[in-house]
Amino acid sequence: MSRRVDDNLVDPRRAGELMRRAMAKAVATRPHPNPRVGAVVVAADGTIAGEGAHSGPGSPHAETHALAAAGPAAAGSTLYVTLEPCDHHGRTPPCTEAIIDAGVARVVVGTLDPDVRVSGRGVERLREAGIDVHVGVAGIDAEGLDEAYFHHRRTGLPFVTVKVAGTLDGQAAAQDGTSRWITGEAARADAHRLRADHDAVMIGAGTLRVDDPRLDVRLADHDRPQPRPVVIAGRRPLPPARVLYERGPLIVASEPRTDIPTGAELVLVAGTDGLVAPEAVLEALGKRDIVALMIEGGPHLAGAFISAGLADRIVLYLGAMVAGGLGLPVLSGAFPTLDAGRAVTIDRVERLGDDLRIDARPAKGRR
């Protein structure tokens, strides 16, 4: 009869080391809409016999990779996996079957899967097969490996990162619209790494019109799919920007349009007077399996999502520059009283060359 592994049956320190190792295998992957998952097989003699990570839909899951690498050493082993193994047929067979067939003796799971097709079922199936299963490792936040996936599965909405950049006195651009370059090379490279971690990058038509941005990741070692461009159309006709014709963007509008280029997809959402409702935008993108969304411009768009309480994270790059006057603010919109502000928790402050990066999480309520 199967049983839950008690805490004293798993060495917490060793378990923490191995779970962190499994997480490290997956941290650089972007398999959305599937989750990031890493796995490590520890043979009966305590040696590491196999490791693996899931790279994307249709590819073998982390457990399958690790078990294949372990080969015969998987028999009697302990499998450390960051997320509950699946027990359903999708594009690949259930991971529970592979674990059972390999003769694994114990499975240590970082956290249960919030997906309704999986949650609890994978663990139950393994226990029914007589495998000892332990869920959770002290001091390890396995959800933190892919926070966006958990958010998407629980809410149906993408995890939203609002990225902004400005001078020390809060200006995103000069009065003539120029903003290149407020930040230095180190900060710009870091922003590309941030962009690479998202499934889609969203801008407003104003930013499209002024900057004609490429919205791609330009790093020498980038070997993952490019994030999909998303453009909020606005009221005016779309400009002949290159991203509209080269990247197959999603163009979001509240009314039918006739200026959608070939290869682009028009997404109609609720709105008024030609303006889209921010929550309706997220609902539409979530249904299209966009799990992690980065809002990159402009000030009106970023301000609208923050004011609506729909930003899950804010990343602010402060350039080593003082504007000394009013140009274009980092965020646009009314700030009538202090009570209208939104409290944030600052999670991280990092120096990048001469510039700063500040990561913050807005409170869901007002001050």
Side-chain angles (χ1 to χ4, degrees):
M1 184 173 181
S2 64
R3 57 184 172 86
R4 179 184 293 274
V5 175
D6 296 325
D7 286 343
N8 62 2
L9 295 179
V10 177
D11 177 356
R13 182 173 178 179
R14 173 71 167 156
E17 292 173 354
L18 291 163
M19 190 59 69
R20 279 188 286 269
R21 183 171 181 137
M23 293 171 70
K25 290 294 296 182
V27 72
T29 64
R30 202 188 81 203
H32 296 161
N34 290 2
R36 286 191 179 102
V37 183
V40 175
V41 176
V42 180
D45 64 3
T47 60
I48 292 175
E51 301 174 282
H54 178 51
S55 60
S59 66
H61 288 189
E63 301 94 317
T64 304
H65 274 302
L67 292 170
S77 69
T78 298
L79 171 68
Y80 289 81
V81 60
T82 59
L83 187 67
E84 177 181 12
C86 64
D87 190 48
H88 65 280
H89 282 272
R91 298 187 186 182
T92 58
C95 290
T96 52
E97 288 186 3
I99 293 168
I100 294 167
D101 291 345
V104 172
R106 173 181 292 163
V107 177
V108 180
V109 176
T111 186
L112 297 180
D113 192 331
D115 193 311
V116 295
R117 299 170 299 172
V118 181
S119 191
R121 298 180 185 180
V123 166
E124 181 181 1
R125 177 71 184 93
L126 294 176
R127 287 178 176 152
E128 288 174 350
I131 296 174
D132 288 336
V133 181
H134 180 94
V135 180
V137 175
I140 300 294
D141 176 19
E143 289 195 17
L145 174 63
D146 198 351
E147 186 177 13
Y149 169 79
F150 285 86
H151 177 85
H152 180 264
R153 288 300 188 272
R154 288 169 177 154
T155 67
L157 306 177
F159 183 92
V160 177
T161 298
V162 175
K163 173 256 180 181
V164 290
T167 63
L168 289 181
D169 50 346
Q171 303 305 301
Q175 288 182 346
D176 63 0
T178 56
S179 61
R180 297 181 180 178
W181 297 102
I182 286 176
T183 57
E185 290 185 8
R188 296 199 298 271
D190 187 79
H192 275 276
R193 288 189 288 272
L194 180 66
R195 190 183 282 176
D197 202 34
H198 289 77
D199 306 313
V201 178
M202 186 165 75
I203 61 170
T207 298
L208 187 72
R209 191 170 289 109
V210 172
D211 292 342
D212 190 14
R214 291 165 61 178
L215 300 182
D216 58 354
V217 179
R218 297 186 295 279
L219 296 171
D221 59 350
H222 181 72
D223 58 359
R224 290 181 278 167
Q226 290 285 352
R228 190 167 190 185
V230 179
V231 177
I232 305 298
R235 297 187 181 96
R236 295 167 59 185
L238 292 170
R242 53 190 168 183
V243 74
L244 298 179
Y245 299 89
E246 299 173 0
R247 301 279 311 284
L250 296 174
I251 299 176
V252 184
S254 61
E255 299 171 351
R257 303 180 66 100
T258 59
D259 57 348
I260 306 302
T262 301
E265 178 185 350
L266 176 63
V267 180
L268 292 176
V269 302
T272 56
D273 298 327
L275 300 177
V276 298
E279 187 157 7
V281 174
L282 296 188
E283 289 173 355
L285 297 182
K287 290 176 181 176
R288 284 165 173 78
D289 286 335
I290 292 176
V291 174
L293 172 68
M294 180 171 162
I295 298 177
E296 199 162 337
H300 291 288
L301 186 66
F305 276 80
I306 291 174
S307 295
L310 297 174
D312 299 295
R313 176 174 63 157
I314 298 171
V315 177
L316 168 63
Y317 292 94
L318 284 177
M321 178 186 297
V322 175
L326 296 178
L328 298 177
V330 169
L331 299 176
S332 295
F335 181 36
T337 68
L338 280 179
D339 289 339
R342 190 175 299 277
V344 302
T345 299
I346 296 178
D347 293 330
R348 166 184 170 191
V349 178
E350 179 182 2
R351 184 163 183 166
L352 299 167
D354 293 328
D355 308 319
L356 292 178
R357 168 177 165 164
I358 301 173
D359 288 38
R361 291 177 183 267
K364 291 303 180 182
R366 296 291 183 182
R367 269 191 183 277

